[in-house]
Amino acid sequence: MEDTGVEQLLAEGDRLLRSGDFAAAEAAFARALALAPDSAVTYSKLGAALAQQGRLDEALDALSRAVALQPTYAPAYNNLGNVYREKGMVEQALAAYRRAVELDPDYWLAHQNLGALYRRMGRFDDAVRHFKIAHRLSLRRPPGPSAGPARPGCLPVVVAVVALAAAVALR
């Protein structure tokens, strides 16, 4: 099948992720992988769907495959950071989020996740810095579906701003 079939399956999987139907999203991404077995994007999205189902080890496998296929794909590192964070692997999560931000300094979701992790670690100055960056970058994000969906596991901007205020208050 041609690329448009893969693109349609990815769009369907994204829609299912947003609606909370993680098993159906997983199935859509698996069908996309059957058509494009070397797609880092698809492995990353599959990893996110698996993680949302609590299948963290499988998610790590899919995300590790994504970064092996495309070492410069920042969303895969962000998703990898989310899974590491869920597994309590703080140093690995930190490294993954840092890599995502290094690859794409304008990736507001990675800054937001990095800020949340720093806050959890008690590194409030670093948390505040990344929450501010995330907020600034998110304001530049165009409204509507063209901006892309918020990734599951990421804090909404409003929550990030509240967390920023709380981190500042604790200092």
Side-chain angles (χ1 to χ4, degrees):
M1 194 172 229
E2 58 191 45
D3 284 344
T4 57
V6 172
E7 291 170 10
Q8 289 172 346
L9 287 168
L10 291 177
E12 176 187 348
D14 284 340
R15 182 186 57 75
L16 292 164
L17 270 179
R18 285 190 307 275
S19 73
D21 192 347
F22 306 124
E26 174 192 353
F29 297 138
R31 289 194 310 274
L33 276 175
L35 300 174
D38 292 329
S39 170
V41 171
T42 307
Y43 273 107
S44 181
K45 291 175 183 286
L46 175 63
L50 292 165
Q52 289 298 316
Q53 296 174 78
R55 294 163 51 196
L56 300 180
D57 290 332
E58 291 173 78
L60 279 179
D61 289 343
L63 293 164
S64 295
R65 176 84 172 145
V67 299
L69 286 167
Q70 191 174 343
T72 59
Y73 185 55
Y77 285 97
N78 184 66
N79 289 338
L80 194 57
N82 290 341
V83 173
Y84 283 137
R85 184 193 66 225
E86 289 298 313
K87 289 180 69 78
M89 302 169 72
V90 174
E91 290 304 317
Q92 291 89 336
L94 187 60
Y97 291 142
R98 283 180 175 162
R99 182 69 176 141
V101 166
E102 176 184 305
L103 290 169
D104 184 356
D106 292 337
Y107 190 13
W108 73 274
L109 291 171
H111 282 285
Q112 184 171 281
N113 284 333
L114 188 53
L117 186 62
Y118 278 136
R119 183 187 55 171
R120 178 175 160 187
M121 296 170 70
R123 293 176 56 178
F124 298 115
D125 289 340
D126 291 324
V128 167
R129 182 168 47 88
H130 284 282
F131 282 141
K132 284 181 179 179
I133 293 169
H135 180 69
R136 180 179 42 82
L137 291 171
S138 72
L139 293 176
R140 294 190 335 204
R141 184 175 164 217
S146 64
R151 287 183 177 77
C154 297
L155 297 170
V157 173
V158 173
V159 174
V161 172
V162 170
L164 169 66
V168 170
L170 290 174
R171 295 170 60 208

